[in-house]
């Protein structure tokens, strides 16, 4: 015989949430979307934090809460309960929320445009299961210079870590506050450091004196990087290069320039190379090469890879 508690509405919601968690794990796998909550300490360790301050109580969109300080293994990316969550604890929070409608504000860390739970993981899970969109929270913000959005994955975090280190070394976020340099592959920011160092040496040679790093970074951004980016925008080139960013195309154009310089013994103007390259449509980054090899392998065995949005 079932107990009255087992027939309670909060238990029914818990069972529904566990079923949705299983379905979400399958769908996220198929869609290649992150299913795990982000770890607050991992994000904080990888990104340079310039300070923190208390924001106070605010209303927060539940979809923007994508991580936890201590309970990241107990809930999935949608804050649905995993098997490690005790139904009694979840059910007691659910009972209170169903009865009173609201509970005391949760505590959140804010980094960029995303939030991490300091206290209140079960309240977030119950609220999302009940279909709510917002929750009241006491917020402490960590100040960073890189963009963080709710779509952030572990792989994105590795790129963001590289971006954060690049900004710390170059001070570009202070020199040009509107900058936004994002790659789709790992390991690309080291190439930009090399470009800046070469540009610094050329400036010193032209001007006959030492060039400070800030001066070299600002001049590289204004005289080398942004003219190519503006040309990319004028040509609307990203439409012809699937799943790529402006920084990807800049890096590719500079690689072509280096190849021409090695062949001819003299480096052409980067904008001339950009103008010729953007019409060719033959860019292939590492992800494109892997994708093409996978497609060919599937064709050999008589299968076809499912076409993704934006595939040619």
């Amino acid at each position: 015989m079932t107990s009255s508690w087992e027939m309670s509405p909060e238990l029914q919601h818990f069972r529904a949430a566990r079923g949705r968690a299983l379905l979400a794990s399958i769908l996220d796998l198929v869609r290649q979307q992150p299913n795990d909550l982000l770890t607050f300490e991992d994000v904080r360790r990888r990104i340079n934090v310039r300070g923190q301050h208390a924001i106070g109580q605010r209303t927060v969109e539940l979809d923007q809460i994508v991580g936890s300080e201590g309970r990241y293994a107990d809930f999935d990316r949608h804050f649905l309960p995993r098997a490690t969550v005790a139904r009694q604890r979840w059910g007691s929070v659910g009972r209170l929320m169903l009865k009173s409608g609201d509970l005391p504000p949760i505590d959140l860390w804010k980094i960029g445009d995303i939030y991490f739970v300091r206290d209140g993981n079960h309240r977030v899970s119950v609220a999302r299961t009940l279909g709510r969109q917002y929750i009241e929270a006491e917020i402490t913000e960590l100040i960073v210079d890189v963009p963080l959005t709710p779509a952030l994955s572990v792989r994105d975090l590795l790129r963001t870590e590289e971006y954060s280190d690049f900004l710390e070394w170059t001070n570009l976020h202070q020199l040009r506050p509107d900058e936004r340099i994002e790659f789709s592959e790992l390991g690309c920011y080291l190439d930009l450091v090399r470009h800046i160092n070469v540009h610094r040496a050329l400036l010193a040679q032209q001007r006959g004196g030492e060039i400070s790093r800030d001066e070299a970074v600002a001049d590289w951004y204004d005289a080398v990087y942004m003219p190519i980016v503006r040309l990319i925008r004028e040509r609307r080139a990203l439409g012809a290069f699937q799943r790529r960013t402006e920084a990807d195309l800049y890096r590719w154009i500079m690689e072509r320039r280096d190849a021409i310089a090695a062949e001819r013994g003299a480096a052409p103007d980067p904008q001339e190379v950009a103008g010729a390259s953007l019409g060719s449509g033959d860019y292939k980054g590492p992800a494109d090469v892997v994708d093409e090899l996978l497609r060919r392998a599937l064709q050999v065995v008589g299968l076809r890879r499912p076409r993704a949005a934006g595939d040619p």
Side-chain angles (χ1 to χ4, degrees):
M1 184 173 179
T2 3
S3 72
S4 58
W5 189 88
E6 289 179 326
M7 298 298 294
S8 63
E10 60 267 19
L11 178 58
Q12 295 176 26
H13 283 300
F14 179 77
R15 288 176 172 172
R18 288 288 298 120
R20 286 170 56 194
L22 176 61
L23 178 60
S25 67
I26 296 171
L27 290 176
D28 287 340
L29 180 63
V30 171
R31 295 168 179 166
Q32 296 183 332
Q33 294 178 344
N35 184 257
D36 294 328
L37 282 178
L38 293 172
T39 308
F40 172 74
E41 284 303 329
D42 191 29
V43 174
R44 184 171 185 170
R45 176 171 52 84
R46 291 180 180 278
I47 295 174
N48 296 302
V49 176
R50 294 195 287 110
Q52 71 178 58
H53 65 96
I55 293 180
Q57 186 171 328
R58 295 286 190 276
T59 301
V60 174
E61 286 189 48
L62 285 162
D63 284 345
Q64 290 182 286
I65 304 174
V66 298
S68 174
E69 186 173 22
R71 304 298 293 271
Y72 45 84
D74 292 340
F75 302 91
D76 68 9
R77 188 61 170 260
H78 315 281
F79 261 95
L80 295 169
R82 287 177 165 167
T84 52
V85 174
R87 69 177 188 178
Q88 290 88 351
R89 169 65 177 150
W90 198 98
S92 64
V93 174
R95 186 182 308 115
L96 290 171
M97 195 170 287
L98 287 169
K99 182 179 179 180
S100 65
D102 291 309
L103 292 177
I106 62 174
D107 286 339
L108 297 177
W109 291 106
K110 182 178 188 293
I111 311 179
D113 292 328
I114 60 178
Y115 296 86
F116 296 79
V117 180
R118 303 176 72 179
D119 181 63
N121 293 277
H122 288 81
R123 279 172 277 171
V124 172
S125 180
V126 171
R128 292 202 64 161
T129 300
L130 294 179
R132 298 187 180 180
Q133 292 182 295
Y134 303 94
I135 196 167
E136 290 298 310
E138 291 285 345
I139 302 168
T140 303
E141 182 175 20
L142 300 184
I143 309 301
V144 298
D145 298 309
V146 291
L148 297 175
T149 68
L152 184 70
S153 66
V154 174
R155 182 175 175 80
D156 295 332
L157 181 57
L158 295 175
R159 286 198 299 269
T160 304
E161 179 182 16
E162 292 181 353
Y163 190 9
S164 182
D165 289 341
F166 170 75
L167 292 180
E168 183 181 37
W169 184 84
T170 61
N171 199 34
L172 185 59
H173 56 290
Q174 297 291 335
L175 298 169
R176 298 293 181 268
D178 294 332
E179 64 80 27
R180 189 73 175 262
I181 301 178
E182 295 179 292
F183 289 101
S184 62
E185 304 288 345
L186 292 170
C188 299
Y189 289 100
L190 287 176
D191 286 334
L192 299 190
V193 172
R194 179 176 61 83
H195 294 175
I196 292 169
N197 285 334
V198 169
H199 188 70
R200 185 178 184 179
L202 289 174
L203 283 179
Q205 185 178 19
Q206 291 170 3
R207 299 178 184 180
E210 184 66 25
I211 303 295
S212 71
R213 184 168 63 185
D214 281 359
E215 187 178 2
V217 168
D219 197 80
W220 165 83
Y221 185 79
D222 294 339
V224 180
Y225 182 78
M226 280 309 300
I228 292 178
V229 168
R230 282 193 287 270
L231 188 56
I232 290 169
R233 293 171 183 172
E234 289 171 7
R235 298 284 186 91
R236 298 182 180 179
L238 286 181
F241 297 89
Q242 301 296 327
R243 301 183 299 277
R244 295 297 151 195
T245 68
E246 292 173 345
D248 288 333
L249 296 193
Y250 161 82
R251 179 171 172 264
W252 171 59
I253 287 164
M254 296 302 286
E255 285 177 350
R256 294 187 68 146
R257 176 177 178 268
D258 290 346
I260 293 171
E263 181 181 335
R264 298 179 182 174
D269 182 87
Q271 291 192 61
E272 292 180 13
V273 180
S277 301
L278 292 177
S280 66
D282 60 353
Y283 172 85
K284 275 189 172 59
D288 301 286
V289 174
V290 171
D291 200 51
E292 184 175 335
L293 291 173
L294 176 61
R295 183 181 287 111
R296 290 180 180 179
L298 291 174
Q299 287 175 347
V300 168
V301 296
L303 298 173
R304 295 190 65 184
R305 181 182 68 82
R307 298 175 73 86
D311 276 358

